[in-house]
Amino acid sequence: MIRRRRPHLRWLPVLLCAGVASAAPAGDPIRGASIYQRCLACHALSYHRVGPKHCGLLGRRAGRAPGYEYSAAMRDAGFTWSQQTLDAFLAAPTQYLPGTSMGYAGVRDARDRRDLIAFIAGASRDTARCPPAQGSEAQ
Amino acid sequence: MTAEQTHRYRSDASATSRRRFIFNSLGMTLSATAVALLSGRTELARGAGTHTAQSPAEDVQILNTALAAEREAVAAYQLGAESTLLTPPVLKVAIQFQGHHREHADALAATIAKLGGEVATPPASYAFPVETLHNQADVLNFAAGLERGAVSAYAGAIPLFANRDLSNAAASILADEAMHWAILRQALGLDPVPGAFFS
């Protein structure tokens, strides 16, 4: 006998995935703010500099922030920034994405990366640091 | 010097001699990785496996990114200099630091050209958080943030260069920018050197 799945359960995997996607990273954003100082030669949260801005980074397609001129490698990367992709990229940018303009050996320590990602994610939800237009345009 | 101090001094000196003898007799030298391990900075030691650039073209790309940051720093100091927020002695230092960044930019551009690369065109304008700069401390904090970031940027670029001469040159620039950062922190009343290691 074939049992039909209850209709409302069909959406369960989707809802679970959505929950994972929107969950705050497990890192420490306060410690991450300190680590973010390493990024300040090239990046800012809310405006493009030598590197693109970070407001709204998680969930943004790589190489697609409006108004920033990316390397061909980043433009064609074809992935979306998530905790996982950002963690892998930050660990060794030129290894993860050969041809990236981010000529930086990487953030070696996994805890540092986790905290840094938590800071960027938290800042993106903070309208004082990331005004809504800047936080949402990246989607 | 008391007898006890003399004894301690001799003990320390003889211990140093013994260590020197051991290292010399074994023909040992300490690599940077070993130094990092010894000092407890394991994340630095793990960096020993860093992917390095494979070609002059990759070196040129790293240099062009550094050039863009140096040009932006020149523009940032110009903003500070024209802000009328700096006292004359601070303004003098800011102009001096700006000159250093200009020299870095010129050297980087010349190196890119020498390597046969294309020197990236500077942007028409730069975005700076002008609305947050209300006094001298704001300007100094802004500049200190850029310098702090520059230290990390060069520290992160140094292991990547295929041409080790470029790593050497980048280390020289890093040292200069670390001094800028320390002096700016001092001017802000902060500990100029707030730690033993930076990455």
Side-chain angles (χ1 to χ4, degrees), chain B residues 106-126:
Chain B
D106 291 346
L108 289 165
T111 306
I112 292 166
K114 193 176 170 187
L115 290 171
E118 187 178 341
V119 177
T121 308
S125 63
Y126 294 93

Side-chain angles (χ1 to χ4, degrees), chain A residues 34-43 46-51 71-73 92-95 98-106 108-110 112, chain B residues 43-44 46-47 49-52 58 61-62 65 68-70 72 127-129 142 145-146 148-157 159-160 181 199:
Chain A
S34 168
I35 296 163
Y36 192 72
Q37 292 180 1
R38 300 180 198 171
C39 312
L40 294 179
C42 299
H43 293 277
S46 62
Y47 55 95
H48 297 319
R49 292 180 48 213
V50 173
S71 64
T94 57
Q95 209 165 350
T100 176
S101 298
M102 189 160 145
Y104 183 72
R108 294 283 162 188
D109 187 86
D112 286 353
Chain B
E43 67 272 30
L44 295 180
R46 283 197 296 274
T50 298
H51 167 79
T52 53
E58 289 179 60
Q61 187 163 30
I62 299 168
T65 301
E70 293 289 355
E72 191 198 50
F128 292 124
F142 173 56
L146 297 183
R148 167 67 184 93
V151 170
S152 287
Y154 280 106
L160 296 181
W181 183 48
S199 55

Side-chain angles (χ1 to χ4, degrees), chain A residues 8-130:
Chain A
H8 64 277
L9 290 181
R10 286 183 200 156
W11 296 103
L12 189 58
V14 176
L15 292 171
L16 285 173
C17 288
V20 168
S22 63
D28 175 358
I30 295 171
R31 189 169 174 275
S34 168
I35 296 163
Y36 192 72
Q37 292 180 1
R38 300 180 198 171
C39 312
L40 294 179
C42 299
H43 293 277
L45 284 171
S46 62
Y47 55 95
H48 297 319
R49 292 180 48 213
V50 173
K53 64 186 176 187
H54 286 145
C55 286
L57 179 62
L58 292 175
R60 177 195 295 168
R61 274 184 68 77
R64 291 292 187 273
Y68 183 78
E69 194 175 326
Y70 287 93
S71 64
M74 188 61 82
R75 227 172 24 242
D76 300 337
F79 61 81
T80 297
W81 291 113
S82 65
Q83 290 175 44
Q84 291 73 30
T85 54
L86 187 53
D87 181 74
F89 178 76
L90 287 172
T94 57
Q95 209 165 350
Y96 187 76
L97 191 66
T100 176
S101 298
M102 189 160 145
Y104 183 72
V107 180
R108 294 283 162 188
D109 187 86
R111 183 185 167 209
D112 286 353
R113 293 196 302 275
R114 209 163 43 240
D115 293 346
L116 185 56
I117 293 167
F119 168 72
I120 291 170
S124 294
R125 290 191 296 271
D126 177 356
T127 53
R129 286 182 289 185
C130 289

Side-chain angles (χ1 to χ4, degrees), chain B residues 55-71:
Chain B
S55 67
E58 289 179 60
D59 280 350
V60 163
Q61 187 163 30
I62 299 168
L63 291 170
N64 258 319
T65 301
L67 173 61
E70 293 289 355
R71 284 169 168 165

